[in-house]
Amino acid sequence: MDDLDHQLIGLLREDARAPVAGLAKRLKVSRGTVQARIDRMLARGDIAGFTVRVRPEAEAHRVRAVMMVAVEGERSGPVIRALSALPQVAAVHTTNGRWDLVVDLDTDSLPDFSRTLDAVRLIDGIAATETSLLLSTRRL
């Protein structure tokens, strides 16, 4: 990916529904260039998909949290696969320091959140966890 591709992705992050003609105008290239680059990045998997961002107030019932996970020995691979299989796990990040993994949780309700914590506790290879609820979010 070159600089133009990165600029295009940045614009798509701002508004994935932006018209190709508008993107082309902002990038000072032709509409065909923008469409060809989007098609190429989709085909290569550089762009995995498009999504919708929702104001936090519109989904006030959702329970979101960050979970820090310590993994026993060299069991990161199986633990990551088990965590990734849970639909409430939005992302799993490897990290350094005291914790081995950072897990983004997104659940429908407090009972769903509780069931998710119970499911995580059953995963072999997890030595310890610490979970913090996300109470509010400020978009930059």
Side-chain angles (χ1 to χ4, degrees):
M1 290 182 16
D2 63 14
D3 188 52
L4 183 60
D5 289 335
H6 289 288
Q7 289 177 39
L8 177 55
I9 287 174
L11 292 175
L12 290 171
R13 280 190 179 122
E14 289 174 19
D15 181 5
R17 293 182 43 145
V20 172
L23 294 168
K25 184 175 180 180
R26 289 183 67 184
L27 294 170
K28 297 181 173 101
V29 297
S30 73
R31 182 189 182 290
T33 297
V34 169
Q35 189 62 59
R37 285 175 178 260
I38 290 172
D39 292 344
R40 187 181 74 235
M41 288 187 284
L42 282 166
R44 283 193 320 227
D46 295 334
I47 296 175
F50 299 89
T51 189
V52 174
R53 290 183 311 196
V54 179
R55 287 181 304 115
E57 301 82 35
E59 292 190 311
H61 68 282
R62 299 203 60 81
V63 178
R64 297 178 315 122
V66 176
M67 175 185 284
M68 309 301 213
V69 178
V71 177
E72 295 173 348
E74 298 296 322
R75 307 205 46 198
S76 291
V79 168
I80 291 170
R81 283 190 292 281
L83 288 167
S84 298
L86 298 173
Q88 300 86 353
V89 172
V92 178
H93 312 274
T94 57
T95 186
N96 64 333
R98 178 173 180 223
W99 301 101
D100 300 303
L101 305 172
V102 177
V103 180
D104 295 334
L105 299 174
D106 188 355
T107 64
D108 291 327
S109 62
L110 282 174
D112 189 29
F113 178 72
S114 181
R115 285 189 297 275
T116 301
L117 293 182
D118 291 343
V120 169
R121 289 183 187 112
L122 295 175
I123 296 173
D124 285 334
I126 292 181
T129 64
E130 182 178 310
T131 306
S132 297
L133 292 173
L134 300 177
L135 302 176
S136 68
T137 300
R138 293 195 179 113
R139 302 274 183 217
L140 301 178

